[in-house]
Amino acid sequence: MFKNSSSKFFVSIIIPIYNDEDVIPRLINEVLIHYKNSELYEVIFIDDKSSDNSIDILNKLLLNNSYSNYKLILNQKNIGASATRNVGCKNAKGDYVAFLDSDDAWHKDKINIQIKLMQQTNSFISGTCHAIISPNRLKTEIDTIYKEDQIHFTEIKWPSILFKSPFCTPSVVIHRSVLDKYKFNENFRYSEDYDFWVRSSYEFKTIKILKNLTFTFKHDYLSNSNSLSSNLYLMQKALTLVRFNLIKDQKYSIIYKILIITSIVFEYFKFSIRFFKKFKLKTSQLVINRNLK
């Protein structure tokens, strides 16, 4: 089993909440139970002006399960994911900050594994691989025991990060010193996480743990879109804006700026492939539905 980190640490777990009444019970009963009332953790919930019963359900579950190491912050208006995470970071007291979305989950030793490797490698940002699983596999995945020699990592470096986002937000743990200098860009509704990683990793050593320690249950949101290309287009637009902002920043060399431009071209190539795959899938579904009528 993976041993505890040799150095003491205090971690703030930041969880945005927005109309999540259906997933909050799993979050409290199956994921956060591993951090309940620990002196090493605080859990910060930030509700982004939910219109359902999320807060009532959350308060009831926290009370019934006798949680004490948590804060609940209520946004006065809906401000979006970036600003909500910034609110959480501002109120966090931890040496490290971990991000978790309400509908995602972690391996029970995830944070300890990450922080131990961060301390060993003098890294300031870390993420993990993640897997999409069915809810009935959650307990098995969470409780899997890993030996230390089973955990491997790679360093995330410039300029490779220009061509691919290294990890998803719920997998990330960040040292406090990074958040003292960088914030999530509140002008972005899409790709705000990639914008943060690409800017901060230029200055702070970043690693990725090559093990699925983060789990998601989300379906492909594009399949529920009223417009086939709407989300793809908005994501692509945001990714392009992230890179244009990098080009305008004087701290990057001419060589890096050429690579940034190259990454824009590469990203549009990937966008075209994703769009046509979705178009083909949507067309096939329409044909099948028509034949069934």
Side-chain angles (χ1 to χ4, degrees), residues 197-249:
W197 317 145
V198 75
R199 288 185 292 116
S200 58
S201 65
Y202 182 79
E203 180 176 352
F204 292 94
K205 185 175 181 179
T206 302
I207 61 173
K208 180 177 183 177
I209 295 165
L210 305 176
K211 185 69 70 175
N212 291 331
L213 301 177
T214 304
F215 310 104
T216 181
F217 311 94
K218 295 177 181 176
H219 297 291
D220 183 358
Y221 59 85
L222 293 174
S223 64
N224 297 320
S225 175
N226 292 325
S227 172
L228 173 65
S229 61
S230 60
N231 287 303
L232 276 175
Y233 172 74
L234 291 171
M235 289 177 64
Q236 182 60 41
K237 184 178 179 181
L239 287 169
T240 302
L241 183 57
V242 168
R243 292 177 170 91
F244 274 125
N245 287 343
L246 296 175
I247 292 173
K248 291 186 288 185
D249 196 321

Side-chain angles (χ1 to χ4, degrees), residues 36-47:
K36 176 182 175 181
N37 300 342
S38 169
E39 63 180 11
L40 298 180
Y41 299 93
E42 66 170 356
V43 182
I44 303 176
F45 300 97
I46 313 99
D47 179 70

